[in-house]
């Protein structure tokens, strides 16, 4: 790394959102993400990050514009788009393996088990297949959620503040772990965060959303940051200062 950028696989084209209650959450937003690229979507609270991610995942409809994944417009959730939220949202009455294979009900039991075990192996939790969610730590539960998103082998993985409910150490561990997991299939990855260091540690590119309603303020390629990244490096810290400058941290909204 730095890696060569693939052809665009996600196209966000002038996507805007006004909710039914009249609240405008997004001004027209446009950006492209290349095949296998890792993009961090960074912004202050309320800048429309979750709204945008949910539109890309097909969970919300855009009021204007369109999202293309591959060549097809996204109008509803798709198997090739994996989603991970801030909370793991596991079903407590099912084992880890049953949670991971839940979305595979159309396949035979053998196929379900094979895919679930493969996904659990990628997140390092194969040994926990038979346990129940209450027996897991917060970090492990979130890894199960990642396995569940990966089980359909998505070409696009969307994550909405996946680690922000975890303690600082676990968060650092899972950031590293996510990169290792990504290495298996190298899906295109778009993740939302409000943590500048998380964005810098993981991303090839950082897109900054800003304002109410949100719009793309800047789009930074981190080509000069080699991997593995060290947060104490001068280059990393310089990016942190630069992005901090771009975020709207005033409270007079
Ligand atoms: P972020 O994830 O960046 O914190 P959100 O996308 O959650 O921001 O929210 C952007 C704006 O849209 C906020 O003002 C929020 O209150 C509003 N919003 C989010 N979801 C809804 C909804 N379902 N109905 C109405 N307003 C919403
Ligand atoms: Mg959010």
């Amino acid at each position: 790394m730095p890696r060569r950028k693939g052809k665009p696989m996600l196209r966000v084209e002038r996507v805007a959102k006004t909710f039914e209650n009249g609240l405008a959450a997004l001004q027209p937003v446009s950006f492209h993400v290349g095949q296998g690229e890792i993009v961090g979507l960074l912004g202050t609270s309320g800048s429309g990050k979750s709204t945008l991610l949910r539109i890309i995942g097909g969970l919300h409809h855009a009021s204007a514009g369109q999202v293309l994944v591959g060549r097809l417009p996204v109008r509803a959730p798709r198997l090739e788009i994996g989603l991970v939220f801030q909370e793991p949202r596991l079903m407590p009455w099912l084992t880890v393996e049953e949670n991971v294979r839940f979305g595979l009900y159309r396949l035979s039991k053998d196929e379900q088990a094979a895919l679930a075990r493969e996904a659990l192996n990628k997140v390092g939790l194969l040994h926990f297949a038979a346990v129940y969610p209450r027996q897991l730590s917060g970090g492990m539960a979130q890894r199960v959620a990642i396995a569940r998103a990966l089980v359909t082998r998505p070409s696009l993985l969307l994550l909405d503040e996946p680690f922000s409910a975890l303690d600082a150490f676990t968060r650092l561990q899972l950031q590293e772990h996510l990169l290792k997991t990504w290495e298996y299939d190298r899906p295109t990855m778009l993740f939302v965060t409000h943590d500048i260091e998380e964005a810098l540690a993981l991303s090839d590119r950082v897109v900054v959303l800003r304002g109410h309603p949100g719009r793309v303020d800047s789009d930074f390629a981190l080509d000069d940051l080699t991997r593995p990244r060290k947060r104490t490096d001068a280059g990393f810290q310089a990016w942190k200062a630069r992005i901090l400058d771009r975020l709207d941290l005033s409270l007079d909204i």
Side-chain angles (χ1 to χ4, degrees):
M1 316 228 199
R3 300 186 283 107
R4 282 208 309 166
K5 290 179 186 67
K7 57 182 191 300
M9 77 84 64
L10 166 65
R11 294 178 175 86
V12 177
E13 312 270 19
R14 298 193 57 76
V15 165
K17 178 71 179 178
T18 299
F19 284 103
E20 291 69 20
N21 63 4
L23 188 132
L26 282 176
Q27 305 179 43
V29 164
S30 301
F31 59 93
H32 290 183
V33 180
Q35 185 92 50
E37 205 175 11
I38 303 176
V39 173
L41 196 56
L42 186 70
T44 48
S45 180
S47 57
K49 304 181 297 296
S50 295
T51 301
L52 180 56
L53 206 74
R54 293 174 71 85
I55 291 171
I56 294 169
L59 303 175
H60 279 331
H61 290 290
S63 311
Q66 65 171 354
V67 172
L68 295 152
V69 169
R71 287 197 208 131
L72 297 175
V74 177
R75 300 208 173 86
R78 274 198 225 158
L79 279 183
E80 79 173 295
I81 307 175
L83 277 157
V84 178
F85 300 96
Q86 186 174 330
E87 307 296 336
R89 302 185 183 187
L90 303 177
M91 287 169 276
W93 61 90
L94 297 179
T95 65
V96 162
E97 183 181 323
E98 287 163 349
N99 267 284
V100 171
R101 65 200 233 179
F102 190 77
L104 301 174
Y105 57 89
R106 287 194 192 87
L107 303 179
S108 74
K109 285 273 180 281
D110 283 353
E111 285 171 309
Q112 287 182 25
L115 287 174
R117 297 178 75 77
E118 180 189 299
L120 281 170
N121 190 42
K122 285 176 187 167
V123 299
L125 288 178
L126 192 50
H127 293 314
F128 291 83
V131 313
Y132 286 86
R134 67 174 176 279
Q135 297 168 271
L136 302 175
S137 68
M140 287 159 79
Q142 199 57 322
R143 280 155 64 193
V144 174
I146 293 170
R148 184 183 49 196
L150 291 175
V151 77
T152 53
R153 297 206 188 101
S155 51
L156 175 62
L157 184 60
L158 304 174
L159 307 102
D160 191 354
E161 306 211 19
F163 308 136
S164 49
L166 303 171
D167 67 86
F169 288 119
T170 308
R171 198 154 65 221
L172 289 177
Q173 286 173 334
L174 286 211
Q175 288 164 1
E176 288 309 309
H177 190 264
L178 181 64
L179 283 179
K180 290 207 181 88
T181 306
W182 174 85
E183 285 284 347
Y184 281 98
D185 303 308
R186 299 189 164 221
T188 304
M189 200 158 87
L190 179 64
F191 72 98
V192 163
T193 183
H194 58 247
D195 178 342
I196 300 177
E197 290 211 356
E198 181 165 285
L200 291 174
L202 300 180
S203 314
D204 299 315
R205 247 170 76 207
V206 175
V207 174
V208 179
L209 282 193
R210 184 170 155 172
H212 300 268
R215 60 178 174 78
V216 173
D217 174 85
S218 29
D219 187 335
F220 297 117
L222 307 180
D223 291 342
D224 59 320
L225 291 186
T226 52
R227 296 180 188 264
R229 292 189 179 153
K230 259 189 92 187
R231 289 160 205 250
T232 45
D233 280 352
F236 192 102
Q237 291 301 322
W239 269 112
K240 191 173 168 184
R242 188 166 170 199
I243 290 177
L244 204 46
D245 267 352
R246 292 307 315 172
L247 290 170
D248 186 0
L249 298 178
S250 61
L251 274 175
D252 53 340
I253 39 177

